[in-house]
Every structure is written in C-alpha cells, then in structure tokens.
Amino acid sequence: MAKQVKNPQGSYTIMTELVLPNDTNPLNNLMGGRLMHWMDIVSAITAQKHCNRIVVTASVDNISFEHPIALGDVVTLEAKVTRAFNSSVEVHIVVKGENIPSGKKYASNSAFFTFVAVDQSGRPIDVPELIPETEGEKELFDGALRRRQLRLVLAKRMKPEDATELKSIFKLDTIDKGEKE
Ligand SMILES: CC(C)(COP(=O)(O)OP(=O)(O)OC[C@H]1O[C@@H](n2cnc3c(N)ncnc32)[C@H](O)[C@@H]1OP(=O)(O)O)[C@@H](O)C(=O)NCCC(=O)NCCS
C-alpha cells in the first residue's frame, strides 16, 4: 500500500509557557532540565500528529543554551517535523524567550529530536512520508539524512563506512597519501 503523504505544516505545534519560581535555578533563570522537558513534550506532540501513533523519544541531538530565560519571561517552543524515514521522524524545535513588560524578544536555543512510532506492543511501525514545501523546510529535509547518519553512527547503530552522506562531507572514501593539494 502506498504511504500516506503529509506536509510539515500539518503537524506544526507551538507551545507557550511562563517561567515560574519552581522552574528556576538559584540565579532565577529557567532550569535546563525544565526546558528540555518542555522541548520533549512539544516535539512529541508534533511527531504524534504526523504519525497518528504513539511515539517514543529515540534520541536528542546536542542542545546548547545560548541565552538564559529569566523568571517571569514567556517561553515559546515551536516544533516541526523535518523528515520522516521508515518508523522514525526528526523534529526541529526552536525556543524563544520574551519579556513582555520590556517588549524584549530573544532566541534561546534549538535542537533536533528523533521519535519512533510504535504499535501497542512497542514495536516500530511505518510512518507517513513528509514532503517539504517552503525553502526552509527543504533545507531542513536535505540536512536530515546527514544528521540521521551521524546520530546512528554515534549510537553504534550504523557503521561509519555505511554513512554515505557523512563520507561525502569528510571525504572519507579518499585515501590521504600525505600529498599537498
Ligand atoms: C526507539 C526504539 C523503539 C527502537 O527500537 P528498535 O527495536 O531498536 O528498532 P529498530 O532498530 O528497528 O529501529 C527503529 C527506528 O528507530 C531508529 N532509531 C533507533 N535508535 C535510534 C537512535 N539512537 N537515534 C535515532 N534513531 C534511532 C532507527 O533508525 C529506526 O528508524 P527507521 O525505522 O526510520 O529507519 C527502542 O529502542 C525503544 O523503545 N527505546 C526506548 C524509547 C524510550 O523509552 N524513550 C523515552 C521515553 S518516551
């Protein structure tokens, strides 16, 4: 049977939170763990919308916190599926902060999460295909294969020699003979 086809907009999810005292560290900034929890939720909702299935978090790529989010600020998390593979989808999450009284808006961080759609017994199950539409979506779609190979190699689920996309970046299939170019 042909795979169902969906676009990224269909599962786009936006989540808004207010940083309360219980969410903060001793510097009165949002704790990283709380933010990662919200990122996991918004991206899981997005993945579920795309897959129409239960999903589990398979991996989280590197997260770095570029800008602290202060107590009382508003956090906006936007999530979009970038690419669907067999049973897995990659989701891109962008986090922004906003101090409403001053009108200041700032970028906080972004990350890629991978979810796997599973059946009631927890076995991976096929997901609908994703067709990107905008230029930004196409760029994220193209990069997703490279990111997938990198995370699978790091998780020891793919041999480095099978990571064709990475090989082309690092030119791993050419032998360095020590000659200057
Ligand atoms: C994720 C999980 C379902 C994969 O199951 P598995 O039996 O190893 O399945 P497979 O080897 O057939 O892989 C299934 C998919 O998972 C992907 N996957 C597995 N490990 C991965 C990882 N570390 N990073 C990214 N993707 C991964 C595979 O690439 C494959 O994707 P594809 O079908 O799109 O090609 C399983 O490892 C699991 O249940 N993990 C625990 C999840 C969990 O508890 N998360 C936290 C709470 S939600």
Side-chain angles (χ1 to χ4, degrees):
M1 202 170 67
K3 268 195 172 191
Q4 196 186 351
V5 174
K6 293 188 171 184
N7 61 29
Q9 200 55 39
S11 52
Y12 170 75
T13 305
I14 184 159
M15 180 169 141
T16 310
E17 295 282 344
L18 176 68
V19 181
L20 295 172
N22 204 31
D23 302 322
T24 60
N25 62 21
L27 293 173
N28 278 341
N29 290 321
L30 176 63
M31 280 178 69
R34 179 75 81 213
L35 180 57
M36 289 190 277
H37 175 66
W38 291 340
M39 291 169 83
D40 194 28
I41 291 176
V42 72
S43 51
I45 293 170
T46 304
Q48 277 193 38
K49 282 193 206 168
H50 179 83
C51 305
N52 284 120
R53 289 278 177 185
I54 299 168
V55 297
V56 294
T57 316
S59 75
V60 174
D61 290 8
N62 165 58
I63 301 181
S64 44
F65 301 100
E66 289 139 37
H67 196 300
I69 302 178
L71 174 65
D73 282 5
V74 170
V75 185
T76 306
L77 303 102
E78 291 176 79
K80 245 185 188 185
V81 177
T82 60
R83 188 157 175 164
F85 296 96
N86 304 303
S87 63
S88 67
V89 291
E90 182 191 71
V91 178
H92 186 218
I93 308 115
V94 175
V95 181
K96 290 178 188 154
E98 180 175 0
N99 181 271
I100 295 180
S102 70
K104 188 180 156 211
K105 293 182 184 179
Y106 50 92
S108 171
N109 69 313
S110 65
F112 293 97
F113 282 40
T114 302
F115 292 86
V116 175
V118 293
D119 64 15
Q120 291 297 332
S121 319
R123 279 187 299 262
I125 190 160
D126 268 10
V127 297
E129 195 179 334
L130 181 114
I131 306 285
E133 290 178 342
T134 66
E135 279 313 306
E137 289 167 2
K138 286 177 188 163
E139 217 171 282
L140 285 166
F141 179 93
D142 290 342
L145 191 54
R146 192 170 61 239
R147 291 188 294 274
R148 169 186 160 95
Q149 292 188 351
L150 182 58
R151 65 178 75 96
L152 291 179
V153 168
L154 291 175
K156 297 194 168 32
R157 284 179 167 263
M158 180 181 265
K159 291 183 188 151
E161 55 269 32
D162 294 335
T164 48
E165 291 293 307
L166 299 182
K167 271 202 232 174
S168 66
I169 298 174
F170 297 117
K171 300 188 170 67
L172 296 178
D173 45 2
T174 58
I175 295 171
D176 181 1
K177 296 182 187 130
E179 293 163 0
K180 285 192 183 151
E181 286 186 7

